[in-house]
Amino acid sequence: MKDWDYENEQWTKLPTYLKHLPLFTRHIDLFSVCMRFLWSIFLKNIAFKYYIRLQVKGVPFKELYRTQPKLIIISNHASHLDATSIAAAIPRRFWLSVYIAAAKDYFFSNPLFTFFSQHCLGAIPIDRKDRKGEAVNLILKLLTELPRMWLIIFPEGTRSQTGKVQEFKRGVSIFSEKTQTPILFTYLEGNLDLWPKGQFFAKPGKLVLHVGPVHPPAPIKEVYTAYKSWVLTINPNAFAIEEPKADVATSTTAPATKEDIDDFNQ
């Protein structure tokens, strides 16, 4: 992959070992401004107005932007519509503060997708097989140093095939607790019906984005429990029915997982 040309101060301040990542430049040049503006026109005024009828309920993003300069925006994840749906719900003038954590093996898999991810989505590539923690370190640095940043991330890690919300991975809490960034709860209703996993493209229809409370930094189990409690007030069937766990006769000490080791080393 071709090296990215880091022109602005934001990227020149990054550690050398992070500068090869393919990121959208926030340098305010004519090309960048034009690409973002054209994409916003297509997304907000055409695609999510006539093809996908997006309805936003809950706390207004305008109010959140006034009180929350930094946020980690989390949502359920069952469709390729999810990230763009949330972006489409955010007012255009806030877009240069919005970043999306996107799977590198999909959103940066070919030159067309890479161009789209860099210049339209403002995506931060997450390598799901990364052993160096490059994307994790980059996000931590951006959340620490940028005066404003809204990061859209899906704590389930991958799309749900059934639409049921899955257990959260710990990345969200790592980002939130290490940088003291609050977490905004959102929930997408109808995303699985419009573009389920394995379908080539989305079909037209109605999509509802529920914008909920802001949760303070906390361990992932606490975040998941609070998120589940809130979502169940919207959709009582959003989570799979939990099977009762069998009693364990003996107590054993489980070996450290890779995630435990990664957390310890950070």
Side-chain angles (χ1 to χ4, degrees), residues 8 10 46 58 68 73 83 101 120 130 134 147 151 163 188 190 205 207 214 221 223 235 260 264:
N8 60 348
Q10 175 180 317
I46 300 175
Q68 304 289 343
I73 303 174
C120 298
D130 178 25
E134 290 179 326
L151 174 67
L188 283 160
L207 183 65
V214 174
K221 287 186 177 179
V223 173
N235 180 6
D260 293 327
F264 178 78

Side-chain angles (χ1 to χ4, degrees), residues 9-15 18 69-70 99 137-149 178-179 181:
E9 184 182 8
Q10 175 180 317
W11 302 132
T12 58
K13 291 169 65 178
L14 289 173
L18 295 178
K70 296 183 185 181
Y99 293 71
N137 286 320
L138 173 62
I139 291 173
L140 290 174
K141 188 168 183 64
L142 293 177
L143 281 171
T144 300
E145 297 197 357
L146 291 181
R148 281 192 173 275
M149 181 177 183
K178 285 183 177 292
T179 64
T181 304

Side-chain angles (χ1 to χ4, degrees), residues 34-102:
C34 288
M35 285 304 304
R36 274 263 152 155
F37 181 73
L38 292 174
W39 171 240
S40 73
I41 292 293
F42 172 77
L43 194 69
K44 296 173 72 68
N45 299 92
I46 300 175
F48 279 89
K49 186 174 182 179
Y50 298 107
Y51 192 75
I52 304 292
R53 302 189 306 281
L54 178 63
Q55 183 179 8
V56 184
K57 296 182 177 180
V59 184
F61 279 110
K62 292 179 182 178
E63 180 180 325
L64 290 167
Y65 197 79
R66 181 175 57 80
T67 58
Q68 304 289 343
K70 296 183 185 181
L71 275 178
I72 296 174
I73 303 174
I74 66 171
S75 175
N76 58 316
H77 193 24
S79 165
H80 282 318
L81 285 172
D82 297 344
T84 52
S85 302
I86 298 172
I90 296 174
R92 186 179 290 117
R93 61 181 180 276
F94 304 155
W95 271 30
L96 287 181
S97 299
V98 177
Y99 293 71
I100 297 172

Side-chain angles (χ1 to χ4, degrees), residues 29-254:
D29 56 32
L30 183 59
F31 181 77
S32 297
V33 171
C34 288
M35 285 304 304
R36 274 263 152 155
F37 181 73
L38 292 174
W39 171 240
S40 73
I41 292 293
F42 172 77
L43 194 69
K44 296 173 72 68
N45 299 92
I46 300 175
F48 279 89
K49 186 174 182 179
Y50 298 107
Y51 192 75
I52 304 292
R53 302 189 306 281
L54 178 63
Q55 183 179 8
V56 184
K57 296 182 177 180
V59 184
F61 279 110
K62 292 179 182 178
E63 180 180 325
L64 290 167
Y65 197 79
R66 181 175 57 80
T67 58
Q68 304 289 343
K70 296 183 185 181
L71 275 178
I72 296 174
I73 303 174
I74 66 171
S75 175
N76 58 316
H77 193 24
S79 165
H80 282 318
L81 285 172
D82 297 344
T84 52
S85 302
I86 298 172
I90 296 174
R92 186 179 290 117
R93 61 181 180 276
F94 304 155
W95 271 30
L96 287 181
S97 299
V98 177
Y99 293 71
I100 297 172
K104 184 178 179 180
D105 56 323
Y106 182 84
F107 287 91
F108 294 84
S109 59
N110 60 58
L112 179 62
F113 278 22
T114 297
F115 181 89
F116 172 77
S117 300
Q118 288 177 338
H119 297 289
C120 298
L121 294 182
I124 297 176
I126 302 295
D127 187 345
R128 291 182 278 196
K129 298 180 180 178
D130 178 25
R131 302 293 181 183
K132 300 177 182 177
E134 290 179 326
V136 173
N137 286 320
L138 173 62
I139 291 173
L140 290 174
K141 188 168 183 64
L142 293 177
L143 281 171
T144 300
E145 297 197 357
L146 291 181
R148 281 192 173 275
M149 181 177 183
W150 281 7
L151 174 67
I152 300 172
I153 189 169
F154 301 102
E156 296 167 79
T158 187
R159 287 170 292 159
S160 169
Q161 294 190 4
T162 63
K164 303 293 185 184
V165 182
Q166 308 167 96
E167 289 280 346
F168 288 176
K169 297 183 181 300
R170 287 187 289 180
V172 169
S173 284
I174 291 173
F175 298 146
S176 178
E177 291 189 297
K178 285 183 177 292
T179 64
Q180 289 302 295
T181 304
I183 302 168
L184 173 66
F185 291 172
T186 68
Y187 177 71
L188 283 160
E189 192 174 16
N191 51 352
L192 180 71
D193 295 333
L194 296 184
W195 197 348
K197 196 169 186 176
Q199 186 168 305
F200 178 71
F201 195 67
K203 57 184 179 183
K206 182 180 179 181
L207 183 65
V208 180
L209 174 66
H210 299 269
V211 183
V214 174
H215 196 281
I220 196 61
K221 287 186 177 179
E222 182 179 330
V223 173
Y224 178 76
T225 300
Y227 182 81
K228 183 176 181 179
S229 177
W230 172 67
V231 169
L232 288 176
T233 65
I234 302 167
N235 180 6
N237 300 315
F239 294 79
I241 298 175
E242 296 181 0
E243 298 291 339
K245 295 181 179 178
D247 293 336
V248 179
T250 58
S251 176
T252 59
T253 301

